[in-house]
Structure formats: C-alpha cells, structure tokens
Amino acid sequence: MHIHHKYLIAALMLLSSMGLSAASFTRSGNFVTVEVAHPGPNDPQWVRLQVIGKKIIRVEATREKAFPEKQSLIIVKQPQPAFSYSVSEDSRDVKINTSAVVAKVDKQTGLVRFYDENGKQILAEDTGGKQLFPYTVPEREIGVDSHLTDAQKHGWTWLLRFADNKGEALYGLGQHQANELNMKGLNEELYQYNTKVSVPFVVSNKGYGILWDSYSYCRFGNPGENLPLNRAFRLYDKNGVAGNLTGTYTDRDGKTITRAEDSICYEVSLPALALKRNSDGDVSHLPAGFKLNGAHVTYEGYLEAPVDNNYHFNLYYAGYTKVYVDGKEVVPEHWRQAWNPNACRFNVPMKAGQKVKLLIDWLPDGDVSYCALRVAPPRSEQRQQQLTVWSEMAKDLDYYFIAGNTVDEVIHGYRTLTGKAQVLPKWALGFWQSRERYKTSGDIEQTLAEFRRRHIPVDNIVQDWNYWADDQWGSHQFEASRYPNPQAMLDSVHQMHGRFMISVWPKFYPNTKNYQELDAKGWMYHQSIADSIRDWVGPGYMNSFYDAYAEGARKMFWRQMDENLYTKYHHGIDAWWMDASEPNVRDCTPMWYRKALSGPTALGSTTEYFNAYSLVNADAIYNGQREVNPNQRVFLLTRSGFAGEQRFSTATWSGDIGTRWEDMRAQMTAGLNYNLAGLPFWGMDQGGFSVENRYVKAQQLYDKTGEENADLKEWRELQTRWNEFGCFIPLYRTHGQWPLREVWNIAPESHPAYKAIVWYDRLRYRLMPYIYSLAGAVHFSDYTMMRALVMDFNGDDKVYNVKDQWMFGPSLMACPVAKYQARSREVYLPAQRGWYDLLSGKHYDGGQTITADAPLERIPVFVPEGSLLPLGPEMEWSDEKPAETIDLYVFAGRDGSFTLYEDENTNYNYEKGRYATIPMTWNEHQHTLTIGARKGTFNGMLKNRKFNVILVSPTHAQGLDIDHAVKGKLVKYNGSRVVVTL
C-alpha cells in the first residue's frame, strides 16, 4: 500500500507540473493524502491521514517527494476499519468523518483540526505548527562501528505545535523525577536514563491523547535546548562586577579557591579518549587538583535577563544542593548519590535589565560529583502553554490523534495501537523482597525461610547482579563457589512456595563466550571497547552491550539466557530483571557520547533509535520464553520503558533513586504519569536505593551498641512510610543498598516500624481478590490500576495537580505520608462523591479538604461511595488458599459495581477463554446487592463460596479490620445470581 501511495503522489506531482487540474486529495484504502497548496519554507508539502478507528486518526507529514516506507516499532498491525467513513472537501478543507470524530485538513497550509461528533473542536494544530528541518547525524554520534548508509545518516528534525486549549491539563510522557504531575506549561526532555523513562504519549483531560511515532531524543514544551547561564543572561560576580559568577571552593581542610565562573555546567564525566573529542560540560573543568569529597562549594552572583519572562531553570545535582534567588530558597536541600545525579526544576519571573541574586550551595559528597544550572530559552507565556513536541530525528512527522470521552477511553485507544497488556501472574502482585544484593544461594534460601518462620507474607525473592564470577559479566552463569547447586536453590525456593527473579543485563565482558558469539555476528557495540572504558567491578573490566535492534541478536541473547539459566534449570526461574536497559553503557556522559556508545543499531543510527532499546530487548525475552515454554506467564522487570512495552508482560521500576523524602514524593508523580502514559505496571525501590552516609553510620552504631540515634529513627520512619506507600501501587517491592531491607533488619519485632510494615504486607494479601481483578481488567478492559485523580474525577478542577493522592483501582484512594514526623496530612476529597475513611468507616462529604490523622502505623485511605471492596483470607503467599469466604465491603451512598476476576494464576489459558468473572452491583435506592451469575470456568475454580457482606454507610461507620472478624450478612453462592437486601 505504501508503494502504491508513493506512485499516487508522483502522479499528482506530474499533473501539477503539466498544468493539469487534479483533485486536492487522493484516497487509497484508509489513507487520505493532501498536497499542501502553499507550504511555508519548513512546512510539509504533503499531509496524509490514515483512519485507524472511529476515534483514532493518524497524521503524517513530509517535505520529501514520497512518504517513507517504514515499519513501526511501537504500533502493532492494525486491521482495516470495519466501519464506513466519509471523505469530502469544501473550498477550505479536506474532511474525514468517522461519525465519532471529524478531521479537517486545511488545503492551503496542511494544518489539521479535530472535532467531536457534535462539531465541537477538540484540538487544532497551530499556525506553523508542523515544521520539518533536514537533519544529518553528527559523525561523533555514530561511533567506531560506522556501517550506516548515507540514507541512514539523514532524516528530519520536526516540530509539532497545537493551539492552546484553555483550562487543559496534560499528563503522561513516562516516568520523570521532578515531582511534576500536570505537565501543561512545563518542559520535559525525553530520553532514557536510570531513573528516567520517556514515553512519546501525552493525554489531556479535554478528551484526547497524542502518540508520536518517534524513537529519538525529544523535547516536550519548550523546543529549544537548555542554555548555560552565560548564553541566557548577563552575569555579575558576587561583588557586582560584570562578566562572570563567583565560584568559591573550600576543601575539607579549609583551603579555599575563588575563581570566575562563566557558567555552571559540571554535568558529565568522559573517559580520557572521548574527552579529547569534546569536553563541554565535563567535570574536568573544575579546579585542577581540588578534592570534592567533603568540600563546600558556592556559586553566587547576579543574573540580568535580556527580556521579561518567566524563566524555567533546570538544576542537575549530585551531593547536597540548595538554590537561593534573591535570598529566597527556591530549591530546598536535595541529595543524590554522586554517580547517579538527578534534576529538578524551578521558575523565576524576571524583568529585563533587572539583576536577580543567585546562590547555589553545594556539598559534593563524592570524589567525583556534578552540579549544573541551565535555563530554557525565553518564550512567550502563550507559546509556553501550547502543547509542543520537538523530535531530533525521524523519517517523517508521524503522530496519532486518539479521542475519548474519558482518560480510560484514550488509554484504550493507545493500547489498541501499541498492544494489549498481559495478565500478570498472580504472584507478581504479592510482596517482593530484594536487596543489593544476596551474595550466595544460602542468603536467598535463609531469607525466604525467615519470612516463612515469621509468617510474614512474601511471594518473590530476587537475585540482583554479580551472581557470576567477577570477570564473567554476561556469562549468565552462577559462580560455583557461592552458588554450588543453583537447581537445589531454585527447588528450595519453590518448596517454600516462593518465586525467583534474576537480574540479567544486556552487558558483556569481551572474554565471555556470549560476547564473542554475539560479536562474531556484528551484534556488539564497540565504542566503549575502543575507548577502554572500565566498569566498577574489581580492578575494572572493559565491557559493552549487545544490539537488541537486530532480530538475530535478540534470538541469540535469549538462547544464551535459556541455555545458561532457563531450560538449564528446568524453567525454575520465574521472572527476569532486565537491568540497565536504557541502555546504560556508562553513567554521566553527554548525549552525543551515549549515542556513540550504544550504536549504530541494525536499523539505523542511535540518534534515530535512541529511546526504544528497552522495547526491543523486552521483545527478546518475552517471545523467547513463550517459544520455549508457551504456557508459563512471562514477567519482566525493566529499568526503562517505551510505548508498547506492556504487550511484552513488562513492568518498569523507577531505578536507583535516593533514600530521601523528596525522592519518595517524586515517585508518586513519576508513577502516576508513567501509568497515564498508557503503561500499566510500575513499581519502585521501596525505601530508596542509594543511601545517605548518615543512615549507614546510624545503622552501624545500632549494630554495635543497640542505640537508636536521631538518624536511625528517621531511617526507620522513612522505610515505614515508603512501605505504606508501596502497598497501593501495582508492584509491591522493596529493594536497596545497605542497610538491609528485610523488615527484621529495618527494626526489631517490637518496634512500631516493624509492626506497620508487616500490617500493610498482610493487608496487601487480604486485598488479593481485588488487586488480581484489577490485573484482569488491565488486559480485558485496558484498565489502569494506579490512577491519578483526573481519571475518575475529571471536571473537578482541584484534582488536576494533586500529586500525592491517587485511586488504586475504583475503591481505594491512597494518601501516603511523605514528610518526616508528620502525624496528619491534608487530603482533598473530590467533589463528585461522598467518602469513607477506610479504617474508621467515618463518612465525609466530597468537595472539601480535610486534615486526616496519620499516625506512624497508618496512612489515610479513603473509599468513594458506591464502592465494592472484596477481601480474601489471610495468606502468606498469593495462592496459599482459595478465597472460599470473601469479606465484601459495600460502601453505600450511590450505585456501584465491581467484577471479580479469577483464572489459573500462572498460565496463558485465559487467552483461550479459561477464566471466570462474577459481576456485583449495588443499588442504592433499593439497598440491594446483586451478585450476578458467574461467567466462564477454569481448572481449579471454586464452584461454591461464601460472601460475608459488610455494609458501610453514613449511619453505620464500619471500618476495615484485618485483625478481627467483622460480622456481616453471610451469603452462600454457587454461581447463580443472588440478590441481597441490606
């Protein structure tokens, strides 16, 4: 079809050159192509619309003579529309009408506008809103493996901008760490990096989403590159002398260096050979010989703006950093480990010609550390409010408009395009115990045995990196001295009713057989080898990553895993932890060098394919395992993510975050926007990964003396609050560096922290019928488990930027506590419903902010009227016992419903229809609960069960209680419809 369409364009061009008249559009299949009559210098010459569904329209634009032939990495094969739609034109527009959406293409400019079935405009491209600029890959980004064709070195940079929708809120874009939720008017750089996951999808509260089919580095918001301070402002030192800021460096011995700073850009660390090629932003520009560890550094002076603007600053930091503007603290103390910096943002309104005082206060906290402050180019507030996307390199401009009456409907459209999510194995929704790292098979078995001895629920135990011999990264082989009998270890885990996940990186040492086998086929990247990059293990070993964009490489990568781990140990490994799948060949390098390190790819330049590595890597494992063992559910956990990854049964966690309260808060918005980007399974390192030294010292002191000092008290509270938070997200998983993260290592059994963590673990398992039903809905209904309030309460303006509350399914609004020593917190109760306190049963009217109690042992959780909440039996692992009796809480006040989903838990028989659902509805007017007829069947299904129905109403304040039996109305159920009056 693409070739045929190419000839149609050529025919139209020929008619035009001959002075003959031609229609202003052509229709071929479900494609409609418009030749733009009067394109501007960077405007497209051709615009093509493709009808995908009644509410999904694809828009392509090119300045070339033909649209490119290409195979999308993110879009699954779409059927031809099974409905009729019309194509017509008038003097201004070519119009496509699907009966649900109307798309109009302006024949003069190529601009596209979208309307609903009633003629109301949903979205419109702005004047000059589609621009394409020729792009050539810089030689330094190609790297040593320069096998690219001339065509692969060339493409298009594009800019897409829409007219402003007043009162709009925008979400999605993946998982980012700046603690931002509503992205309207904000900026985000879209690239993959450790704690950062970028997804090319944005969803609006105004009834639409935009998915752009580009894999390169992108920018959302301001399309301009963040500038060093000296390119944006006139600088003055601390004494008011024009030219530079003042940098003052004081080492731990009190020796001070003061020097002029023309910018603050100490943000990368290049290896010696690469440093010769470009040193911009490198830490080598810090004072020669100055020892950062233990030092105190300040950068101060004045900034003078050239124009009035609300300036958007981006702070890149490691160590302890604070920022003050005109004496006001605009960035309170933030900390990140030195090897994995983070970014945060702040805005400063500035007037042209007026000086603003700046102070950056930095404690580097490492021998190598990072600090940079950049600012986005100034642009008008009108422009800043417009939905704008910039893509560095693609074959053409290509996006999908997805309409929907709700955010859920838009996400349904997204998954229609990119693939359905799988039903996770049931055990994946239980508790995960992990740490960096279990070092022997004995560590694994003894830890799981201790959970069982203490009767603390757990399903999964995780083997992190370095189970291989030190010099054998990529061998996928256990080191025999520490893991003498891996099969016996796996058998032991399974005998204790546990599951086992293992870390596998796409990284290889050159001396391994697996590296050599991949390399012989041309499937290894070589830049890191050429530059003699060594990692942090032992003496430091040279290494590189494989090219997952090559189909043959993916098959070989899986075969190596299978031969060394999966089939070798009789399919005893239950889940795969695909770490560093950005790919992260080396930390803290500039963008151009990251591209050189991880390319070129089999498909083209890394510049063009920069963001999609984790997607193709997940493809390797998912399809590989399903081929080897077709009926065991695959589960992948990856540190990166991209559009479409949900179809490979892949979850993402938020990387190597810090053990800080601000990091805990940032995970809330990170997870919410990740889920709003259409990807349903997300988690984090509960408690944070990298640990401040003060916590390490506090634990060491306690281990030696038994003293709980102030830092250890805070550590235990941080772990408690983070585990309470983790109970209400899709993946409930603890992980991190020392101090150890098993609950008995966090605090003794008598401690409130221990009791609280165990209580929420028990609650998670009691909620398993509810949570597993949500997982079923993710597959069958394209549902989202972790739900920003906009998903259920759109129309209440106050919910659009609530960052620390969300719905976990339809019945639970989690309100975690993320401030040290807080024993209460404000909670907003959305206006559309009345609300119940889950633990007390007390009723509140919606549309108000209350102060909710939050003792250390509990966080506020609220339930909307009309909710049905099923609880199963007390369990220590997810399938320990069937839910023969379900406590079904009914929260009165309005009509409501819930569908209980059950299947065989670990296999793919649900794809063959072997599952069962039980619909339940509450009629408020009649005060009746209907437990509907069961639909479907599966092996092991309970034919008979009981429901203990517990009514909660404004006059009957019954709180949830997992410690004592709650008396309700007992209903026997055999699969037939039952109506209960309460």
Side-chain angles (χ1 to χ4, degrees):
M1 182 176 292
H2 288 274
I3 296 175
H4 179 56
H5 202 80
K6 179 177 177 180
Y7 292 146
L8 284 171
I9 292 177
L12 284 171
M13 293 178 68
L14 178 61
L15 288 170
S16 177
S17 66
M18 296 171 63
L20 301 176
S21 62
S24 54
F25 72 91
T26 60
R27 181 174 179 178
S28 177
N30 58 337
F31 290 91
V32 176
T33 302
V34 178
E35 181 181 9
V36 180
H38 298 291
N42 298 309
D43 293 343
Q45 294 179 325
W46 301 92
V47 174
R48 179 168 72 178
L49 274 60
Q50 181 183 6
V51 178
I52 304 292
K54 285 191 175 182
K55 294 190 176 184
I56 304 176
I57 304 289
R58 180 187 183 187
V59 178
E60 287 181 279
T62 184
R63 286 177 55 191
E64 298 193 44
K65 295 180 179 179
F67 285 97
E69 297 178 42
K70 58 183 184 178
Q71 180 66 47
S72 175
L73 296 179
I74 64 176
I75 306 298
V76 298
K77 186 176 181 180
Q78 299 294 317
Q80 287 290 316
F83 57 90
S84 60
Y85 60 92
S86 64
V87 183
S88 60
E89 67 176 314
D90 57 27
S91 60
R92 179 185 178 187
D93 300 313
V94 172
K95 181 173 71 173
I96 297 175
N97 189 338
T98 71
S99 77
V101 164
V102 175
K104 297 181 180 180
V105 184
D106 188 305
K107 294 188 288 188
Q108 299 299 309
T109 64
L111 296 176
V112 184
R113 310 184 307 283
F114 301 95
Y115 300 82
D116 67 15
E117 68 274 23
N118 299 315
K120 181 182 177 182
Q121 183 172 293
I122 304 172
L123 184 67
E125 294 174 355
D126 191 31
T127 303
K130 284 199 300 283
Q131 298 186 13
L132 297 102
F133 308 90
Y135 183 86
T136 301
V137 180
E139 284 298 319
R140 68 177 184 175
E141 295 183 5
I142 295 173
V144 294
D145 297 318
S146 184
H147 58 65
L148 296 179
T149 66
D150 188 64
Q152 289 174 324
K153 293 180 182 180
H154 294 89
W156 297 91
T157 294
W158 57 252
L159 175 71
L160 176 64
R161 187 178 65 247
F162 296 93
D164 185 25
N165 270 339
K166 303 297 182 184
E168 183 173 49
L170 296 170
Y171 306 94
L173 302 175
Q175 165 204 287
H176 304 279
Q177 295 292 330
N179 195 21
E180 295 168 338
L181 181 62
N182 179 2
M183 298 304 296
K184 172 81 167 193
L186 302 180
N187 304 326
E188 187 61 74
E189 292 184 278
L190 300 181
Y191 60 90
Q192 315 292 8
Y193 194 71
N194 200 310
T195 60
K196 185 177 180 68
V197 175
S198 295
V199 179
F201 178 66
V202 64
V203 61
S204 167
N205 69 322
K206 295 292 187 180
Y208 73 90
I210 297 293
L211 170 68
W212 57 98
D213 197 350
S214 169
Y215 323 118
S216 73
Y217 165 60
C218 294
R219 299 187 189 116
F220 172 87
N222 196 319
E225 181 181 14
N226 285 332
L227 303 172
L229 298 181
N230 61 350
R231 288 179 53 197
F233 305 109
R234 188 177 187 191
L235 305 184
Y236 299 82
D237 68 15
K238 67 178 183 179
N239 297 314
V241 178
N244 299 284
L245 300 175
T246 302
T248 304
Y249 301 80
T250 305
D251 68 17
R252 68 192 326 155
D253 298 322
K255 180 183 176 183
T256 297
I257 298 172
T258 301
R259 69 175 194 172
E261 304 280 350
D262 64 0
S263 60
I264 313 300
C265 291
Y266 306 113
E267 54 199 347
V268 299
S269 178
L270 282 161
L273 291 174
L275 194 60
K276 295 177 181 178
R277 298 196 283 278
N278 190 299
S279 66
D280 290 350
D282 197 83
V283 293
S284 61
H285 293 297
L286 288 162
F290 183 80
K291 295 182 178 179
L292 285 178
N293 206 353
H296 180 205
V297 180
T298 60
Y299 301 109
E300 54 189 322
Y302 299 86
L303 311 178
E304 182 183 305
V307 295
D308 293 359
N309 206 249
N310 185 22
Y311 286 87
H312 293 242
F313 288 86
N314 189 79
L315 175 70
Y316 188 70
Y317 65 93
Y320 296 89
T321 312
K322 294 183 284 188
V323 179
Y324 299 83
V325 173
D326 283 340
K328 179 183 177 182
E329 187 179 64
V330 294
V331 178
E333 182 186 84
H334 279 50
W335 175 86
R336 266 297 175 92
Q337 63 272 35
W339 54 268
N340 187 32
N342 194 30
C344 69
R345 291 189 277 270
F346 61 94
N347 296 352
V348 179
M350 298 173 67
K351 296 287 188 181
Q354 294 184 6
K355 295 178 185 177
V356 169
K357 187 177 182 180
L358 173 70
L359 171 62
I360 302 172
D361 192 296
W362 180 35
L363 302 175
D365 196 31
D367 294 327
V368 177
S369 196
Y370 304 87
C371 184
L373 185 64
R374 291 177 178 265
V375 66
R379 63 198 302 235
S380 71
E381 189 60 23
Q382 178 188 359
R383 277 278 190 259
Q384 188 64 38
Q385 293 300 315
Q386 292 177 288
L387 197 173
T388 306
V389 179
W390 173 93
S391 170
E392 184 173 43
M393 183 181 181
K395 290 181 171 62
D396 62 353
L397 194 161
D398 189 350
Y399 75 88
Y400 294 79
F401 169 84
I402 308 166
N405 295 327
T406 65
V407 174
D408 279 300
E409 189 178 357
V410 174
I411 288 177
H412 164 71
Y414 164 89
R415 295 201 199 140
T416 297
L417 289 168
T418 63
K420 270 197 169 293
Q422 307 299 309
V423 181
L424 290 189
K426 191 174 186 179
W427 50 259
L429 299 167
F431 179 66
W432 296 73
Q433 180 60 56
S434 184
R435 70 158 87 140
E436 198 218 23
R437 52 194 161 75
Y438 297 112
K439 297 181 179 180
T440 68
S441 56
D443 286 347
I444 292 281
E445 294 176 69
Q446 291 161 20
T447 299
L448 186 55
E450 186 64 13
F451 272 95
R452 296 292 179 240
R453 186 187 74 78
R454 291 173 179 260
H455 302 290
I456 301 172
V458 67
D459 266 275
N460 313 287
I461 192 152
V462 181
Q463 176 62 64
D464 201 353
W465 67 288
N466 202 231
Y467 51 87
W468 51 81
D470 266 9
D471 67 346
Q472 289 294 298
W473 201 319
S475 68
H476 311 321
Q477 295 177 349
F478 289 97
E479 185 177 24
S481 63
R482 295 183 291 126
Y483 301 84
N485 191 336
Q487 186 66 63
M489 173 187 69
L490 294 170
D491 291 344
S492 174
V493 167
H494 293 141
Q495 287 163 9
M496 288 186 277
H497 307 285
R499 304 285 177 168
F500 184 85
M501 180 167 77
I502 195 166
S503 173
V504 179
W505 290 46
K507 169 182 174 178
F508 298 85
Y509 289 167
N511 63 316
T512 62
K513 176 185 174 183
N514 290 339
Y515 176 102
Q516 293 162 8
E517 186 180 23
L518 285 159
D519 195 38
K521 295 287 189 178
W523 293 332
M524 290 298 305
Y525 301 139
H526 291 119
Q527 186 69 54
S528 64
I529 304 297
D531 288 346
S532 300
I533 293 178
R534 297 180 180 272
D535 66 13
W536 63 92
V537 178
Y541 297 96
M542 288 200 298
N543 63 94
S544 194
F545 283 50
Y546 90 105
D547 181 11
Y549 291 95
E551 182 180 5
R554 294 195 295 273
K555 291 181 181 298
M556 183 178 288
F557 180 62
W558 165 253
R559 178 177 57 75
Q560 293 171 348
M561 290 173 59
D562 184 48
E563 290 174 353
N564 289 288
L565 291 170
Y566 192 55
T567 294
K568 180 176 183 177
Y569 296 117
H570 303 96
H571 306 162
I573 290 172
D574 301 287
W576 307 100
W577 186 1
M578 309 311 297
D579 209 341
S581 55
E582 295 83 13
N584 184 28
V585 182
R586 179 185 166 98
D587 293 314
C588 305
T589 58
M591 200 77 70
W592 70 266
Y593 192 57
R594 285 192 60 202
K595 294 170 185 174
L597 288 172
S598 55
T601 79
L603 299 180
S605 71
T606 308
T607 308
E608 184 175 351
Y609 290 94
F610 190 55
N611 279 334
Y613 188 94
S614 68
L615 177 69
V616 289
N617 190 51
D619 180 344
I621 292 86
Y622 175 79
N623 285 305
Q625 181 178 313
R626 290 210 67 173
E627 185 175 330
V628 168
N629 189 13
N631 209 27
Q632 177 180 314
R633 288 186 204 172
V634 183
F635 181 84
L636 309 179
L637 182 65
T638 179
R639 201 176 69 185
S640 189
F642 200 61
E645 208 142 333
Q646 74 281 349
R647 67 180 182 258
F648 298 130
S649 197
T650 297
T652 293
W653 97 101
S654 60
D656 299 333
I657 53 177
T659 50
R660 295 274 294 189
W661 295 95
E662 71 263 16
D663 279 282
M664 178 182 170
R665 291 189 291 272
Q667 300 327 296
M668 299 177 192
T669 53
L672 290 170
N673 267 327
Y674 181 86
N675 281 266
L676 283 161
L679 296 157
F681 297 121
W682 178 87
M684 61 188 167
D685 291 350
Q686 283 169 210
F689 178 76
S690 294
V691 184
E692 289 181 81
N693 287 332
R694 66 189 179 101
Y695 290 143
V696 171
K697 291 176 181 177
Q699 185 68 51
Q700 290 170 337
L701 176 66
Y702 178 82
D703 291 346
K704 185 176 181 180
T705 67
E707 177 189 347
E708 183 187 61
N709 68 7
D711 286 332
L712 187 61
K713 196 174 297 244
E714 183 176 355
W715 168 257
R716 287 171 168 171
E717 182 162 332
L718 178 67
Q719 297 302 306
T720 302
R721 292 306 199 187
W722 218 318
N723 276 269
E724 293 167 348
F725 165 14
C727 182
F728 300 99
I729 66 173
L731 294 188
Y732 184 38
R733 168 185 162 274
T734 190
H735 180 68
Q737 294 181 322
W738 202 89
L740 303 178
R741 304 309 176 85
E742 296 78 18
V743 60
W744 57 86
N745 288 318
I746 292 171
E749 193 169 348
S750 60
H751 197 282
Y754 180 101
K755 293 178 180 179
I757 292 169
V758 171
W759 192 89
Y760 277 92
D761 193 358
R762 291 173 54 220
L763 174 63
R764 177 79 175 201
Y765 280 79
R766 291 294 306 275
L767 288 169
M768 194 57 72
Y770 174 74
I771 296 172
Y772 195 57
S773 296
L774 302 183
V778 167
H779 173 74
F780 288 99
S781 303
D782 294 324
Y783 190 68
T784 299
M785 297 171 70
M786 185 179 182
R787 306 171 62 79
L789 297 184
V790 68
M791 298 190 75
D792 295 293
F793 307 104
N794 197 1
D796 182 345
D797 293 349
K798 293 182 179 179
V799 307
Y800 294 151
N801 206 31
V802 175
K803 300 177 179 181
D804 57 356
Q805 300 172 214
W806 61 90
M807 297 301 297
F808 185 50
S811 303
L812 298 173
M813 183 170 70
C815 310
V817 176
K819 292 183 180 178
Y820 183 42
Q821 296 180 330
R823 296 299 180 262
S824 65
R825 59 154 292 175
E826 287 192 346
V827 171
Y828 179 68
L829 303 174
Q832 291 94 327
R833 305 274 192 100
W835 294 84
Y836 295 90
D837 183 313
L838 176 68
L839 298 182
S840 72
K842 182 179 178 181
H843 182 269
Y844 295 86
D845 292 334
Q848 63 171 323
T849 298
I850 65 169
T851 299
D853 290 338
L856 176 63
E857 295 83 1
R858 300 291 183 268
I859 60 170
V861 179
F862 290 87
V863 183
E865 292 172 341
S867 293
L868 304 178
L869 182 65
L871 270 70
E874 188 99 6
M875 294 189 296
E876 293 183 32
W877 57 91
S878 60
D879 59 356
E880 180 186 5
K881 59 189 77 163
E884 292 181 335
T885 300
I886 286 180
D887 285 342
L888 181 60
Y889 285 78
V890 177
F891 294 85
R894 60 174 288 166
D895 293 348
S897 64
F898 186 79
T899 299
L900 188 70
Y901 172 84
E902 296 174 309
D903 63 16
E904 295 169 19
N905 298 333
T906 59
N907 60 37
Y908 285 104
N909 287 340
Y910 70 87
E911 294 180 339
K912 304 169 187 174
R914 289 164 65 177
Y915 62 89
T917 58
I918 300 175
M920 299 177 285
T921 58
W922 168 250
N923 185 299
E924 176 65 22
H925 177 69
Q926 298 177 359
H927 251 238
T928 56
L929 172 73
T930 301
I931 305 174
R934 182 175 54 227
K935 299 177 182 178
T937 187
F938 60 90
N939 291 338
M941 183 185 75
L942 278 177
K943 294 184 178 179
N944 299 286
R945 63 168 20 123
K946 297 174 183 177
F947 287 93
N948 179 39
V949 183
I950 302 160
L951 178 66
V952 186
S953 71
T955 58
H956 187 257
Q958 174 63 59
L960 179 142
D961 191 341
I962 66 169
D963 297 315
H964 307 92
V966 178
K967 183 175 176 55
K969 192 165 188 176
L970 198 62
V971 179
K972 294 181 179 180
Y973 180 76
N974 62 8
S976 298
R977 181 175 180 266
V978 179
V979 179
V980 185
T981 301
L982 298 177

